[in-house]
Amino acid sequence: MNILVALLHHIAAFTLVGTLLTELVLIRQPLTMSSAKSLRLIDSIYGLSAMLIIMLGVLRVMYFEKGQDYYLHNHAFMLKMSAFIVVGLLSIYPTKVFLQWGKAVKQNQLPSLPEGQARTIQRILKLELAGIFFILAGAVLMAKGHTI
Protein backbone atom coordinates (compact mmCIF):
# COMPACT_ATOMS: atom_id res chain seq x y z
CA MET A 1 0.00 0.00 0.00
CA ASN A 2 2.90 2.35 0.80
CA ILE A 3 4.22 2.04 -2.75
CA LEU A 4 0.79 2.67 -4.29
CA VAL A 5 0.20 5.80 -2.21
CA ALA A 6 3.70 7.09 -3.04
CA LEU A 7 3.17 6.36 -6.75
CA LEU A 8 -0.17 8.15 -6.84
CA HIS A 9 1.34 11.10 -4.94
CA HIS A 10 4.10 11.39 -7.54
CA ILE A 11 1.69 11.05 -10.47
CA ALA A 12 -0.43 13.85 -9.01
CA ALA A 13 2.68 16.02 -8.61
CA PHE A 14 3.77 15.46 -12.21
CA THR A 15 0.21 16.16 -13.36
CA LEU A 16 0.26 19.47 -11.45
CA VAL A 17 3.51 20.53 -13.14
CA GLY A 18 2.19 19.46 -16.55
CA THR A 19 -0.99 21.49 -16.12
CA LEU A 20 1.00 24.59 -15.10
CA LEU A 21 3.20 24.30 -18.17
CA THR A 22 0.18 23.77 -20.42
CA GLU A 23 -1.60 26.80 -18.95
CA LEU A 24 1.51 28.92 -19.52
CA VAL A 25 1.72 27.85 -23.17
CA LEU A 26 -1.98 28.50 -23.76
CA ILE A 27 -2.15 31.87 -21.99
CA ARG A 28 0.77 33.19 -24.08
CA GLN A 29 -1.23 32.69 -27.29
CA PRO A 30 -4.18 34.75 -28.49
CA LEU A 31 -7.31 33.59 -26.67
CA THR A 32 -9.72 31.48 -28.71
CA MET A 33 -12.87 29.61 -27.69
CA SER A 34 -10.89 26.39 -27.81
CA SER A 35 -8.06 27.72 -25.63
CA ALA A 36 -10.54 29.30 -23.17
CA LYS A 37 -12.30 25.96 -22.75
CA SER A 38 -8.96 24.18 -22.48
CA LEU A 39 -7.67 26.60 -19.85
CA ARG A 40 -10.79 26.05 -17.73
CA LEU A 41 -10.50 22.26 -18.02
CA ILE A 42 -6.75 22.19 -17.41
CA ASP A 43 -7.10 24.47 -14.40
CA SER A 44 -9.70 22.05 -12.99
CA ILE A 45 -7.23 19.20 -13.44
CA TYR A 46 -4.61 21.39 -11.71
CA GLY A 47 -6.95 21.83 -8.74
CA LEU A 48 -7.78 18.12 -8.58
CA SER A 49 -4.11 17.17 -8.70
CA ALA A 50 -3.32 19.66 -5.91
CA MET A 51 -6.08 18.16 -3.76
CA LEU A 52 -4.77 14.65 -4.43
CA ILE A 53 -1.25 15.76 -3.51
CA ILE A 54 -2.56 17.10 -0.21
CA MET A 55 -4.69 14.05 0.61
CA LEU A 56 -2.03 11.53 -0.38
CA GLY A 57 0.68 13.58 1.32
CA VAL A 58 -1.26 13.58 4.58
CA LEU A 59 -1.68 9.80 4.31
CA ARG A 60 2.04 9.38 3.68
CA VAL A 61 3.00 11.58 6.63
CA MET A 62 0.56 10.01 9.06
CA TYR A 63 0.52 6.34 8.06
CA PHE A 64 2.97 5.25 5.39
CA GLU A 65 6.35 6.88 5.82
CA LYS A 66 8.51 7.97 8.74
CA GLY A 67 5.72 9.37 10.89
CA GLN A 68 4.48 12.83 11.78
CA ASP A 69 7.19 13.47 14.31
CA TYR A 70 9.91 13.13 11.70
CA TYR A 71 8.21 15.41 9.18
CA LEU A 72 6.92 18.09 11.52
CA HIS A 73 10.43 18.64 12.91
CA ASN A 74 12.19 18.54 9.55
CA HIS A 75 13.10 21.94 8.09
CA ALA A 76 13.40 20.52 4.58
CA PHE A 77 9.79 19.31 4.91
CA MET A 78 8.75 22.74 6.16
CA LEU A 79 10.46 24.35 3.14
CA LYS A 80 8.55 21.98 0.88
CA MET A 81 5.21 22.66 2.57
CA SER A 82 5.77 26.43 2.68
CA ALA A 83 6.55 26.46 -1.04
CA PHE A 84 3.46 24.34 -1.73
CA ILE A 85 1.29 26.81 0.19
CA VAL A 86 2.79 29.78 -1.69
CA VAL A 87 2.20 28.05 -5.04
CA GLY A 88 -1.37 27.29 -3.99
CA LEU A 89 -2.02 30.89 -2.99
CA LEU A 90 -0.55 32.16 -6.26
CA SER A 91 -2.90 29.88 -8.18
CA ILE A 92 -6.00 31.61 -6.81
CA TYR A 93 -5.93 34.54 -9.24
CA PRO A 94 -5.67 32.55 -12.51
CA THR A 95 -8.32 30.12 -11.27
CA LYS A 96 -10.63 33.00 -10.38
CA VAL A 97 -10.20 34.49 -13.87
CA PHE A 98 -10.82 31.15 -15.61
CA LEU A 99 -13.92 30.52 -13.49
CA GLN A 100 -15.28 33.96 -14.38
CA TRP A 101 -15.23 32.91 -18.02
CA GLY A 102 -17.87 30.24 -17.35
CA LYS A 103 -20.94 32.17 -18.45
CA ALA A 104 -19.34 33.46 -21.65
CA VAL A 105 -17.95 30.03 -22.58
CA LYS A 106 -21.33 28.35 -21.96
CA GLN A 107 -22.90 30.91 -24.30
CA ASN A 108 -20.16 30.18 -26.85
CA GLN A 109 -18.78 33.72 -26.53
CA LEU A 110 -15.10 34.48 -26.28
CA PRO A 111 -14.33 35.66 -22.75
CA SER A 112 -12.56 38.93 -22.14
CA LEU A 113 -8.83 38.69 -21.46
CA PRO A 114 -7.20 42.11 -21.48
CA GLU A 115 -3.49 42.04 -22.37
CA GLY A 116 -2.50 43.25 -18.89
CA GLN A 117 -4.48 40.46 -17.26
CA ALA A 118 -2.90 37.87 -19.57
CA ARG A 119 0.58 39.16 -18.64
CA THR A 120 -0.30 39.01 -14.94
CA ILE A 121 -1.45 35.41 -15.30
CA GLN A 122 1.74 34.56 -17.20
CA ARG A 123 3.86 36.06 -14.41
CA ILE A 124 1.91 34.17 -11.76
CA LEU A 125 2.26 30.87 -13.63
CA LYS A 126 6.01 31.45 -13.92
CA LEU A 127 6.20 32.17 -10.18
CA GLU A 128 4.25 28.98 -9.49
CA LEU A 129 6.73 27.03 -11.60
CA ALA A 130 9.61 28.68 -9.74
CA GLY A 131 7.93 27.60 -6.50
CA ILE A 132 8.04 24.01 -7.76
CA PHE A 133 11.85 24.32 -7.61
CA PHE A 134 11.65 24.86 -3.85
CA ILE A 135 9.19 22.00 -3.42
CA LEU A 136 11.58 19.71 -5.28
CA ALA A 137 14.58 21.04 -3.33
CA GLY A 138 12.81 20.19 -0.08
CA ALA A 139 11.95 16.72 -1.41
CA VAL A 140 15.53 16.03 -2.50
CA LEU A 141 16.94 17.22 0.82
CA MET A 142 14.50 14.97 2.67
CA ALA A 143 15.30 12.00 0.44
CA LYS A 144 19.01 12.45 1.19
CA GLY A 145 18.35 12.67 4.93
CA HIS A 146 19.01 16.40 5.33
CA THR A 147 16.89 18.51 7.64
CA ILE A 148 18.58 21.82 6.56
Side-chain angles (χ1 to χ4, degrees), residues 19-44:
T19 58
L20 279 176
L21 290 169
T22 304
E23 285 183 7
L24 183 58
V25 167
L26 288 174
I27 203 72
R28 293 177 67 156
Q29 301 172 2
L31 189 65
T32 64
M33 277 304 296
S34 177
S35 64
K37 289 177 182 178
S38 293
L39 280 163
R40 286 175 48 82
L41 174 63
I42 292 161
D43 199 64
S44 296

Side-chain angles (χ1 to χ4, degrees), residues 3-13 52-53 56:
I3 292 171
L4 177 61
V5 172
L7 175 64
L8 292 173
H9 190 222
H10 286 88
I11 290 170
L52 277 173
I53 289 168
L56 293 165

Side-chain angles (χ1 to χ4, degrees), residues 103-140:
K103 186 176 179 181
V105 168
K106 286 176 186 163
Q107 294 174 348
N108 211 30
Q109 296 174 350
L110 189 61
S112 171
L113 181 63
E115 191 173 319
Q117 190 176 50
R119 280 194 308 271
T120 298
I121 293 172
Q122 287 175 35
R123 279 192 291 272
I124 290 170
L125 293 172
K126 289 174 184 177
L127 286 171
E128 288 182 69
L129 287 164
I132 300 294
F133 170 83
F134 292 98
I135 294 169
L136 292 174
V140 168

Side-chain angles (χ1 to χ4, degrees), residues 38-142:
S38 293
L39 280 163
R40 286 175 48 82
L41 174 63
I42 292 161
D43 199 64
S44 296
I45 294 168
Y46 171 90
L48 288 172
S49 65
M51 293 305 297
L52 277 173
I53 289 168
I54 292 167
M55 292 183 335
L56 293 165
V58 167
L59 287 174
R60 292 183 76 194
V61 166
M62 295 181 70
Y63 303 109
F64 294 111
E65 299 296 332
K66 296 175 178 134
Q68 312 176 219
D69 232 26
Y70 171 80
Y71 290 103
L72 298 179
H73 294 94
N74 185 315
H75 293 144
F77 180 75
M78 291 302 156
L79 166 68
K80 184 178 167 182
M81 291 301 94
S82 297
F84 189 84
I85 290 167
V86 168
V87 168
L89 291 172
L90 285 168
S91 76
I92 292 171
Y93 180 75
T95 297
K96 184 178 170 190
V97 170
F98 301 150
L99 287 173
Q100 288 173 345
W101 294 352
K103 186 176 179 181
V105 168
K106 286 176 186 163
Q107 294 174 348
N108 211 30
Q109 296 174 350
L110 189 61
S112 171
L113 181 63
E115 191 173 319
Q117 190 176 50
R119 280 194 308 271
T120 298
I121 293 172
Q122 287 175 35
R123 279 192 291 272
I124 290 170
L125 293 172
K126 289 174 184 177
L127 286 171
E128 288 182 69
L129 287 164
I132 300 294
F133 170 83
F134 292 98
I135 294 169
L136 292 174
V140 168
L141 289 168
M142 287 172 40

